[in-house]
Amino acid sequence: MAVDVGGIGVWRASFYWPGDAGQHAEIAAELEDLGYDAIWIGASAGDLALPETLLDATSRIAVATGIVNVWTEPLDQVVASYARVSGAHPDRLLLGIGAGHAANVEPTGQRYERPYRKVVDYLDGLDAAKTPVPRENRALAALGPRVLALAAERTAGAHPYLVPPEHTRRAREILGSGPLLAVEQKVVLETDPERARTIARATVNRYMTLPNYTNNLLRLGFTPDDFGGGGSDRLVDALVAWGDLDAVLSRVREHQDAGADHVCIHVLTEDPTTVPRPQWRALATALNLVS
């Protein structure tokens, strides 16, 4: 794999980054200084402007898109943007792509049908471009067995989102020993159970009507009863690592023991627009990232 994302990263959705490019650069520089290996950008735009800003502001840390949506982000734009950004920052940009969800795609006027075929066609386009996006510099959002196998065949590996360690174990079995397995893990640094689960549910609830996620959770042994009310305690506890720093580190190790090469930590707070600098700093120290 040409892009080395290391072992521990930070995940944050693009729409929760502050609007000012100077703030973006400052945050990226701090994350690099803290010792994180990669920054993952959820719902990344095809112009790759945010990854470019983060890379311009740093010298070591990798940046990954988690993900660029194959329905909404034009292939030609993504190819051109990738060539521009990766040319300036060789082997530091991992292009994560994925099919997203019907609820996000169909409001654009497209029909969300045959998503697997859509991803394959997009990969074909990345290969056929005048300046191709190399296989080893791209990853695939993957939950089910078929897409995990495709990730292993056509990309550097898989980026599963909203998954417990049991999924990581199953994903590694499908991927085999070589491909990258970069797992997103939600975290709430709060020891009070009611308060922690309330914060967690505010985010988990958004995914309980999206079949890609609920079908995956059903395969893992959860039931439709677990999806109501923002998620049962059992589901929330499986998807969100909450508690003190030791509890979070324990969950990270569970993913690693199950076969994850990389864990990208997604910090949840009461106000999702607040940049969780204190939590990132505490986690970096607990994970011994700071050199």
Side-chain angles (χ1 to χ4, degrees), residues 164 204 208 217 222-223 226-228 230-240:
V204 170
M208 294 298 96
L217 294 168
F222 294 96
T223 73
D226 286 306
F227 305 150
S232 66
D233 284 356
R234 181 173 81 111
L235 180 63
V236 167
D237 294 353
L239 297 178
V240 182

Side-chain angles (χ1 to χ4, degrees), residues 184-214:
E184 179 264 359
Q185 175 60 60
K186 291 175 176 55
V187 166
V188 176
L189 284 178
E190 171 58 59
T191 57
D192 178 77
E194 182 176 357
R195 181 177 167 85
R197 289 180 178 133
T198 296
I199 295 170
R201 281 193 177 94
T203 295
V204 170
N205 184 53
R206 302 172 195 164
Y207 304 106
M208 294 298 96
T209 59
L210 300 177
N212 292 3
Y213 291 124
T214 56

Side-chain angles (χ1 to χ4, degrees), residues 145-167:
R146 193 180 184 201
V147 184
L148 284 164
L150 180 66
E153 179 186 350
R154 299 289 303 273
T155 75
H159 172 47
Y161 182 92
L162 196 72
V163 293
E166 173 58 21
H167 182 274

Side-chain angles (χ1 to χ4, degrees), residues 118-152:
K118 181 72 173 180
V119 171
V120 170
D121 289 345
Y122 209 90
L123 290 169
D124 289 344
L126 296 178
D127 287 338
K130 184 176 180 180
T131 307
V133 177
R135 174 184 179 277
E136 63 272 17
N137 286 3
R138 63 197 193 201
L140 188 58
L143 294 174
R146 193 180 184 201
V147 184
L148 284 164
L150 180 66

